[in-house]
Every structure is written in structure tokens, then in C-alpha cells.
Amino acid sequence: MSSSSAALRELQRDLENKANDLSKLQKDIAKNHQVRKKYTIQLGENELVLKELDLLNEDANVYKLIGPVLVKQDLAEANANVRKRIEYISAELKRLDSSLQDLEEKQHSKREAILKVQQRIQSHQAGKAKA
Amino acid sequence: MASSRGAGSQQVIRMADLEKMSLDQLKAVKEQADIEVNLLQDSLNNIRTATGRLENASAALHDLSLRPQGKKMLVPLTASLYVPGTLDDADKVLVDIGTGYFVEKTMSEGKDYCERKINLLKSNFDQLVEVASKKKTLADETGVVLQAKIKQLSPSS
């Protein structure tokens, strides 16, 4: 009888651990969404800037705000900078996408594992009640 | 059901589905729809504010273009400090195009820029209004079905 209650306690500890893992996974997923949102907004802004730069004549003056200083920049350089930034952000978003998929898969399988442990606990308790 | 909410996938929920759902599921759907409606309303408000600011900028530009060169004016150095100065060249304006980039444009190009941005925002606004009204309809329908179910389950007569 004591061995079955020890087994029950172990099952419950397992359940707790898995529940903690699940909540950590959910926090990670929420964080992923937040970072994703930020990057998506930045990407949109940079694309707008690129469009504006493309409309300019070759000799138009472009300035960049670096801290409190407005610095004159070459149009070609500005274009290159914005393009590089867009590339970087797109790569980050792709990375986030794949890690999000990974996290969601882990979350799904964690939920299934929790369900299984819960079922075992239930059957255990039912078994004890019979005895 | 949890996985369907995963990557922002759109759920098309029809009346027949709503009828089949349990009270709890209905409550969850309504809450979710209400949250989304609120988010969309916030976005709509943001767009309205931004459009208003752009229209102010456009009006200010227009006003500036009417002023002669050499006109005496007060230049803001901080929010509460102005210094007297004279208007130099009102034909060149610096436009903030985002991410810290400024472009020197002529007065007409600047006005054109404002117009373009205002039109872009207006079309975004219209698109959002459509989405928001669809979501609101869904939230309202869900509410109606929910009320009906509650009445069914607790006959007070």
C-alpha cells in the first residue's frame, strides 16, 4: 500500500514538473510574439523609407539622425543601409518563425504528456479506492 | 482548439458552429472576439491621430509657403523657449521619412509627401474599418447565441 502511494506522489511530482515546463513554454511563445511584432513594425517602417529614397533624384540631400546630430549622407549609402537593415530584419523574422513552430510543437507534446500523467494518476487513485 | 489559435490563423465561424458549441466555448469565443475588436478600435484611433497630425503638418507647410523670405518669426528652441529669427529659404524643407532619415525636399515635394502619406493612412483606415466591423458582427452574434443558451439552460418561468 505504501509503495502505491509513493508511486502516486512520484506521478504528482512528474505532473508538477511537466506543468512548470508547459508554463515556461507558453512564456517563451508569448515573448516570441512580442519580438516578432516589434520586428514586423520595424520592417514596415524601413520599407516605407526605402520607397521614399527610391523616389528621390540622385542629387537630393539625405540626412541621418545619429543621436542629437543630423549628418549628411550619400543617397547610395542610405539606400544600402536601409536595404541591409531590411535583409537583417527579414532574416530575424524567419528565424523567429521557425523557433515559434518548434516551441508550439513542444507545447503540443507537453500537453499530451501531461494528459497521460493525469490519466495514470486517476487510474492509480481509482485502483487505491477499490482496495 | 488550442493549436488553431497558434500562428494567427483566421477562423471562419458560422452560426451553425456557434449553435453546436457549449456555454464555455461560446464564452471563450465571445471574449476572444471582444479582445480583437478592442485591439482593432485602438489601431483605428491611432490611425486617426496620425492622419490628424499629418494634416496639421500639411496645413503648416502651406502656411509657410505663403510667407515671404526675410519675414520675422519666433523659432522654438525648446517647448517653452522661442528666439526671434528671420525666415530664410521657405522653399526647402526637411522631411522625416522614418528610422532616423531626413530628406531635403522642395516645398511642393513636401506637400506631395504629406498628401501621399495621408492617402496611405486613409486606405489603411478603410481596410481596418472593414475588418473591425466583421469582427464586431461576430462578437455580437456570439453574444446573442450565448444569451439564448443561458436562457435555455435556466428556465425562470
Side-chain angles (χ1 to χ4, degrees), chain B residues 133-149:
Chain B
S133 65
K134 276 198 204 131
K135 272 284 161 203
K136 183 97 181 39
T137 328
L138 176 67
D140 289 340
E141 275 179 15
T142 316
V144 162
V145 175
L146 188 65
Q147 298 279 20
K149 281 241 159 129

PDB file of all heavy atoms in Angstrom, chain B residues 133-149:
ATOM      1  N   SER B 133     -15.483  45.812 -38.440  1.00  0.00           N
ATOM      2  CA  SER B 133     -16.936  45.643 -38.393  1.00  0.00           C
ATOM      3  C   SER B 133     -17.301  44.167 -38.516  1.00  0.00           C
ATOM      4  O   SER B 133     -18.249  43.696 -37.878  1.00  0.00           O
ATOM      5  CB  SER B 133     -17.624  46.479 -39.471  1.00  0.00           C
ATOM      6  OG  SER B 133     -17.269  46.015 -40.731  1.00  0.00           O
ATOM      7  N   LYS B 134     -16.488  43.404 -39.305  1.00  0.00           N
ATOM      8  CA  LYS B 134     -16.777  41.968 -39.389  1.00  0.00           C
ATOM      9  C   LYS B 134     -16.603  41.306 -38.033  1.00  0.00           C
ATOM     10  O   LYS B 134     -17.432  40.491 -37.602  1.00  0.00           O
ATOM     11  CB  LYS B 134     -15.832  41.296 -40.392  1.00  0.00           C
ATOM     12  CG  LYS B 134     -16.299  41.398 -41.801  1.00  0.00           C
ATOM     13  CD  LYS B 134     -15.624  40.377 -42.714  1.00  0.00           C
ATOM     14  CE  LYS B 134     -15.678  40.910 -44.131  1.00  0.00           C
ATOM     15  NZ  LYS B 134     -14.410  40.857 -44.824  1.00  0.00           N
ATOM     16  N   LYS B 135     -15.504  41.672 -37.347  1.00  0.00           N
ATOM     17  CA  LYS B 135     -15.251  41.089 -36.028  1.00  0.00           C
ATOM     18  C   LYS B 135     -16.351  41.456 -35.052  1.00  0.00           C
ATOM     19  O   LYS B 135     -16.772  40.648 -34.223  1.00  0.00           O
ATOM     20  CB  LYS B 135     -13.935  41.585 -35.450  1.00  0.00           C
ATOM     21  CG  LYS B 135     -12.732  40.809 -35.823  1.00  0.00           C
ATOM     22  CD  LYS B 135     -12.619  39.511 -35.076  1.00  0.00           C
ATOM     23  CE  LYS B 135     -11.661  38.672 -35.880  1.00  0.00           C
ATOM     24  NZ  LYS B 135     -11.532  37.445 -35.920  1.00  0.00           N
ATOM     25  N   LYS B 136     -16.815  42.709 -35.145  1.00  0.00           N
ATOM     26  CA  LYS B 136     -17.851  43.160 -34.217  1.00  0.00           C
ATOM     27  C   LYS B 136     -19.117  42.364 -34.436  1.00  0.00           C
ATOM     28  O   LYS B 136     -19.792  41.973 -33.477  1.00  0.00           O
ATOM     29  CB  LYS B 136     -18.097  44.661 -34.459  1.00  0.00           C
ATOM     30  CG  LYS B 136     -19.091  45.300 -33.527  1.00  0.00           C
ATOM     31  CD  LYS B 136     -18.394  46.004 -32.389  1.00  0.00           C
ATOM     32  CE  LYS B 136     -19.335  46.646 -31.400  1.00  0.00           C
ATOM     33  NZ  LYS B 136     -20.551  45.925 -31.075  1.00  0.00           N
ATOM     34  N   THR B 137     -19.444  42.115 -35.736  1.00  0.00           N
ATOM     35  CA  THR B 137     -20.641  41.329 -36.033  1.00  0.00           C
ATOM     36  C   THR B 137     -20.522  39.949 -35.410  1.00  0.00           C
ATOM     37  O   THR B 137     -21.465  39.448 -34.793  1.00  0.00           O
ATOM     38  CB  THR B 137     -20.824  41.173 -37.551  1.00  0.00           C
ATOM     39  OG1 THR B 137     -20.331  42.319 -38.206  1.00  0.00           O
ATOM     40  CG2 THR B 137     -22.276  40.955 -37.881  1.00  0.00           C
ATOM     41  N   LEU B 138     -19.320  39.349 -35.558  1.00  0.00           N
ATOM     42  CA  LEU B 138     -19.113  38.033 -34.975  1.00  0.00           C
ATOM     43  C   LEU B 138     -19.307  38.070 -33.471  1.00  0.00           C
ATOM     44  O   LEU B 138     -20.007  37.235 -32.893  1.00  0.00           O
ATOM     45  CB  LEU B 138     -17.703  37.535 -35.298  1.00  0.00           C
ATOM     46  CG  LEU B 138     -17.377  36.202 -34.641  1.00  0.00           C
ATOM     47  CD1 LEU B 138     -18.225  35.113 -35.239  1.00  0.00           C
ATOM     48  CD2 LEU B 138     -15.909  35.867 -34.808  1.00  0.00           C
ATOM     49  N   ALA B 139     -18.702  39.084 -32.819  1.00  0.00           N
ATOM     50  CA  ALA B 139     -18.812  39.189 -31.360  1.00  0.00           C
ATOM     51  C   ALA B 139     -20.280  39.332 -30.958  1.00  0.00           C
ATOM     52  O   ALA B 139     -20.743  38.697 -30.003  1.00  0.00           O
ATOM     53  CB  ALA B 139     -18.004  40.373 -30.848  1.00  0.00           C
ATOM     54  N   ASP B 140     -21.027  40.171 -31.709  1.00  0.00           N
ATOM     55  CA  ASP B 140     -22.436  40.376 -31.374  1.00  0.00           C
ATOM     56  C   ASP B 140     -23.239  39.095 -31.550  1.00  0.00           C
ATOM     57  O   ASP B 140     -24.037  38.725 -30.681  1.00  0.00           O
ATOM     58  CB  ASP B 140     -23.026  41.476 -32.262  1.00  0.00           C
ATOM     59  CG  ASP B 140     -22.466  42.843 -31.881  1.00  0.00           C
ATOM     60  OD1 ASP B 140     -21.960  42.960 -30.746  1.00  0.00           O
ATOM     61  OD2 ASP B 140     -22.534  43.765 -32.700  1.00  0.00           O
ATOM     62  N   GLU B 141     -23.001  38.399 -32.695  1.00  0.00           N
ATOM     63  CA  GLU B 141     -23.735  37.151 -32.931  1.00  0.00           C
ATOM     64  C   GLU B 141     -23.464  36.153 -31.828  1.00  0.00           C
ATOM     65  O   GLU B 141     -24.377  35.508 -31.312  1.00  0.00           O
ATOM     66  CB  GLU B 141     -23.292  36.540 -34.259  1.00  0.00           C
ATOM     67  CG  GLU B 141     -24.025  37.087 -35.444  1.00  0.00           C
ATOM     68  CD  GLU B 141     -23.521  36.452 -36.726  1.00  0.00           C
ATOM     69  OE1 GLU B 141     -22.827  35.421 -36.647  1.00  0.00           O
ATOM     70  OE2 GLU B 141     -23.836  37.005 -37.779  1.00  0.00           O
ATOM     71  N   THR B 142     -22.171  36.024 -31.474  1.00  0.00           N
ATOM     72  CA  THR B 142     -21.820  35.086 -30.406  1.00  0.00           C
ATOM     73  C   THR B 142     -22.537  35.449 -29.120  1.00  0.00           C
ATOM     74  O   THR B 142     -23.042  34.573 -28.403  1.00  0.00           O
ATOM     75  CB  THR B 142     -20.303  35.101 -30.161  1.00  0.00           C
ATOM     76  OG1 THR B 142     -19.639  35.094 -31.408  1.00  0.00           O
ATOM     77  CG2 THR B 142     -19.885  33.907 -29.353  1.00  0.00           C
ATOM     78  N   GLY B 143     -22.592  36.764 -28.837  1.00  0.00           N
ATOM     79  CA  GLY B 143     -23.281  37.211 -27.628  1.00  0.00           C
ATOM     80  C   GLY B 143     -24.730  36.789 -27.636  1.00  0.00           C
ATOM     81  O   GLY B 143     -25.268  36.318 -26.634  1.00  0.00           O
ATOM     82  N   VAL B 144     -25.386  36.945 -28.804  1.00  0.00           N
ATOM     83  CA  VAL B 144     -26.802  36.604 -28.908  1.00  0.00           C
ATOM     84  C   VAL B 144     -27.014  35.119 -28.651  1.00  0.00           C
ATOM     85  O   VAL B 144     -27.882  34.720 -27.865  1.00  0.00           O
ATOM     86  CB  VAL B 144     -27.331  37.000 -30.311  1.00  0.00           C
ATOM     87  CG1 VAL B 144     -28.611  36.285 -30.614  1.00  0.00           C
ATOM     88  CG2 VAL B 144     -27.518  38.501 -30.387  1.00  0.00           C
ATOM     89  N   VAL B 145     -26.191  34.289 -29.317  1.00  0.00           N
ATOM     90  CA  VAL B 145     -26.331  32.841 -29.124  1.00  0.00           C
ATOM     91  C   VAL B 145     -26.078  32.474 -27.667  1.00  0.00           C
ATOM     92  O   VAL B 145     -26.766  31.615 -27.086  1.00  0.00           O
ATOM     93  CB  VAL B 145     -25.353  32.084 -30.055  1.00  0.00           C
ATOM     94  CG1 VAL B 145     -25.398  30.612 -29.787  1.00  0.00           C
ATOM     95  CG2 VAL B 145     -25.688  32.373 -31.502  1.00  0.00           C
ATOM     96  N   LEU B 146     -25.082  33.140 -27.068  1.00  0.00           N
ATOM     97  CA  LEU B 146     -24.753  32.866 -25.666  1.00  0.00           C
ATOM     98  C   LEU B 146     -25.945  33.153 -24.774  1.00  0.00           C
ATOM     99  O   LEU B 146     -26.320  32.342 -23.918  1.00  0.00           O
ATOM    100  CB  LEU B 146     -23.562  33.740 -25.260  1.00  0.00           C
ATOM    101  CG  LEU B 146     -22.937  33.467 -23.898  1.00  0.00           C
ATOM    102  CD1 LEU B 146     -22.324  32.100 -23.867  1.00  0.00           C
ATOM    103  CD2 LEU B 146     -21.893  34.515 -23.605  1.00  0.00           C
ATOM    104  N   GLN B 147     -26.566  34.328 -24.982  1.00  0.00           N
ATOM    105  CA  GLN B 147     -27.726  34.710 -24.170  1.00  0.00           C
ATOM    106  C   GLN B 147     -28.837  33.686 -24.317  1.00  0.00           C
ATOM    107  O   GLN B 147     -29.448  33.240 -23.340  1.00  0.00           O
ATOM    108  CB  GLN B 147     -28.248  36.078 -24.628  1.00  0.00           C
ATOM    109  CG  GLN B 147     -27.282  37.217 -24.467  1.00  0.00           C
ATOM    110  CD  GLN B 147     -27.255  37.750 -23.046  1.00  0.00           C
ATOM    111  OE1 GLN B 147     -27.668  37.067 -22.114  1.00  0.00           O
ATOM    112  NE2 GLN B 147     -26.776  38.952 -22.891  1.00  0.00           N
ATOM    113  N   ALA B 148     -29.079  33.296 -25.588  1.00  0.00           N
ATOM    114  CA  ALA B 148     -30.157  32.341 -25.852  1.00  0.00           C
ATOM    115  C   ALA B 148     -29.897  31.040 -25.104  1.00  0.00           C
ATOM    116  O   ALA B 148     -30.795  30.476 -24.476  1.00  0.00           O
ATOM    117  CB  ALA B 148     -30.269  32.098 -27.355  1.00  0.00           C
ATOM    118  N   LYS B 149     -28.624  30.582 -25.160  1.00  0.00           N
ATOM    119  CA  LYS B 149     -28.301  29.321 -24.498  1.00  0.00           C
ATOM    120  C   LYS B 149     -28.517  29.421 -22.992  1.00  0.00           C
ATOM    121  O   LYS B 149     -29.014  28.497 -22.361  1.00  0.00           O
ATOM    122  CB  LYS B 149     -26.826  28.952 -24.752  1.00  0.00           C
ATOM    123  CG  LYS B 149     -26.578  28.360 -26.097  1.00  0.00           C
ATOM    124  CD  LYS B 149     -26.033  26.967 -25.975  1.00  0.00           C
ATOM    125  CE  LYS B 149     -26.305  26.260 -27.288  1.00  0.00           C
ATOM    126  NZ  LYS B 149     -25.227  25.620 -27.889  1.00  0.00           N
TER     127      LYS B 149
END
